[in-house]
Amino acid sequence: MKKFRWPVIAGLFVSLAASVCAVTITENFTNDPSADGWQIFGDTNLFQWNPADHNLSVIWDSSKANSYFYHPLGNTITRLDDFNISFDLQLNDITAGSEPGKSGAMEIAFSLLNFATATSPNFQRGVFGGAPGLFELDYFPPWIYSDDTGSYPISPTLTPTFVSTNSFDYAPSAYIPYEVEFPTGELVHVSLAFTASNQTLVATFQTNGTDVVQIPPVVLSDDFATDDDYAVDIFSITSYSSNGDPYDSVLAHGIVSNLVVTVPPPPIQNLSGAFSNSVWRVQFISQTNWIYTLQCTTNFNSWSDISVATAGNGTNLFLQDTAPPAEKAFYRVSAERP
């Protein structure tokens, strides 16, 4: 089975609350978002905070470098984790073929990304296999395809997209887009909810509580193999570069507001440790979909497992070293996916 490791060094012993709370990032743009942990990678001119209107002006411009208005999740999440993303979007205009010689449509996106991967010079969304390990809502505007036989309109598509890290599988299949046109000049509340237990992503698009766009749920397990996965650690409003894509480009302007992103907390919370009757013991708040092992080292050259692998219980978990070294020792807890 695929595993993910999360090492943590033990600290002082303190009392713990027996609860696990989701991590929620809320941004209404009343205050400067940079003070709330939001950052920009790439072209800073594509994102402009509007303090009077409590929103963010966004330009999606594929002629620029990959650019992200992003917030760390405080955790790395995979297909085993639920997540919820919601925001208000007013798409003012969008044009395919905005760059000379690139008449096809490129997407605008709202993404969950792995920051290290997404900021690599080799990360190219317009190249198959060039952007591994992500989830995002992609919108491709309509465009006109022309060849020697004539010109043909290509429908716009709106698709929640998963891309696996290891095998570049796509969900839904890259050949089954949802032919839907996103409204322009209209404020739309977007909600994206992924449930890990049934591997299903449900997306809604509403204005004043009424659906303005409808697309079917995406079932990740229909297109991902059992060993396919992703590991993402930031949420991003994403403007992709067309670098590496000889055919497609996009230019769009819009306003984003009322952002809420909810993900599970880190697998280890409120870690503490102390001796109890000559036994070193650590305690922390665990999660039920992780396996935990206490590890020890005396020199940091190698770590040894000193407890049995223990399933998380969703509340306080205790691990202990019944035979601690005679002199100094250092401890950490390893958390792995089952």
Side-chain angles (χ1 to χ4, degrees), residues 135-271:
F135 164 78
E136 61 193 20
L137 179 68
D138 292 321
Y139 179 59
F140 295 79
W143 60 288
I144 303 297
Y145 172 77
S146 299
D147 60 18
D148 294 341
T149 64
S151 298
Y152 309 92
I154 305 299
S155 298
T157 59
L158 180 66
T159 309
T161 304
F162 295 87
V163 183
S164 68
T165 301
N166 51 339
S167 63
F168 306 113
D169 278 347
Y170 284 71
S173 167
Y175 304 103
I176 312 176
Y178 303 133
E179 296 185 355
V180 173
E181 185 164 13
F182 196 92
T184 55
E186 183 176 352
L187 190 66
V188 179
H189 182 71
V190 179
S191 178
L192 308 167
F194 179 71
T195 303
S197 61
N198 59 14
Q199 295 287 280
T200 299
L201 187 286
V202 175
T204 61
F205 307 86
Q206 296 185 329
T207 296
N208 297 322
T210 301
D211 290 340
V212 292
V213 173
Q214 290 183 310
I215 60 175
V218 175
V219 181
L220 184 59
S221 52
D222 286 350
D223 297 284
F224 268 34
T226 55
D227 61 346
D228 283 335
D229 208 348
Y230 52 86
V232 294
D233 55 16
I234 65 169
F235 168 78
S236 168
I237 302 173
T238 303
S239 175
Y240 283 125
S241 169
S242 64
N243 183 37
D245 184 342
Y247 308 107
D248 307 316
S249 58
V250 70
L251 178 64
H253 301 81
I255 295 170
V256 178
S257 57
N258 297 320
L259 268 164
V260 180
V261 180
T262 302
V263 297
I268 298 173
Q269 295 185 90
N270 294 1
L271 175 65

Side-chain angles (χ1 to χ4, degrees), residues 282 292-295 304-307 319-321 331-333:
V282 298
Y292 299 91
T293 307
L294 182 62
Q295 299 179 330
S304 300
D305 293 347
I306 55 171
S307 74
L319 301 175
Q320 63 184 24
D321 182 2
Y331 294 87
R332 70 182 183 185
V333 176

